[in-house]
Amino acid sequence: VSDYHQGLCNSVVNLSEKDGEIGNLEVEAQEMDHADPKTLGLKVTEENDSIGFWIDSNFSEKLTGFYDDCDTFIVNCVFSRNNNSRNHTTVSDVPNILENSEASTVILKHFGKSMLEADMDEEEFWLKEQVDQKVIFAEDGMSYPGDRSLSSF
């Protein structure tokens, strides 16, 4: 996690070994294909339920298998479909990311300027036509339903 992002947290757990535990949560990490070499994707598991966090990254098939068994998948997606981006995720990458995923729900967040200027309803409609998962485009202040246990997601 970048020094900037660490400064935004109350506490930081070092995942230098690429996995760890926080209370009853198992946290696994993998290196992502991003300009910042410290960028890690995460998978958080509680008992048999897991949430994957695809951190804004260049799409690569070698990264997707890590997330295949996630129940819910959160994707940082900076760019709309019609943008060619290096080192960042676009909406058109998401079907490829989810190709072998068992997730029932995918949540897109971390929108960049091009996403905010795009027709978000059109982007969401297109993605829903491409994937089997329930698709949610996050909004400011939104919370995902739950009771703080992963099984509730």
Side-chain angles (χ1 to χ4, degrees), residues 128-143:
K128 286 179 177 180
E129 293 291 310
Q130 303 300 311
V131 301
D132 295 328
Q133 291 82 359
K134 176 181 179 181
V135 174
I136 299 171
F137 276 42
E139 297 178 14
D140 290 344
M142 183 183 115
S143 61

Side-chain angles (χ1 to χ4, degrees), residues 62-129:
K62 68 181 181 183
L63 301 175
T64 60
F66 178 74
Y67 300 100
D68 284 349
D69 62 345
C70 292
D71 302 294
T72 301
F73 202 2
I74 299 171
V75 178
N76 284 1
C77 188
V78 175
F79 292 104
S80 62
R81 285 179 288 146
N82 298 323
N83 282 278
N84 293 326
S85 170
R86 295 185 61 207
N87 300 321
H88 296 286
T89 305
T90 67
V91 172
S92 57
D93 292 327
V94 177
N96 294 325
I97 293 168
L98 295 172
E99 187 172 341
N100 295 313
S101 175
E102 297 174 11
S104 61
T105 302
V106 60
I107 302 169
L108 273 68
K109 63 179 244 17
H110 189 65
F111 303 133
K113 183 179 178 187
S114 80
M115 278 290 286
L116 298 175
E117 292 175 346
D119 182 336
M120 294 287 278
D121 292 334
E122 184 178 311
E123 295 292 311
E124 186 174 6
F125 178 79
W126 179 87
L127 185 56
K128 286 179 177 180
E129 293 291 310

Side-chain angles (χ1 to χ4, degrees), residues 18-44:
K18 294 201 179 155
D19 57 32
E21 292 184 5
I22 302 171
N24 62 341
L25 301 176
E26 177 185 349
V27 180
E28 298 173 78
Q30 85 166 349
E31 293 178 15
M32 300 298 282
D33 186 3
H34 192 276
D36 181 347
K38 292 182 179 181
T39 302
L40 297 174
L42 300 174
K43 183 166 46 172
V44 179

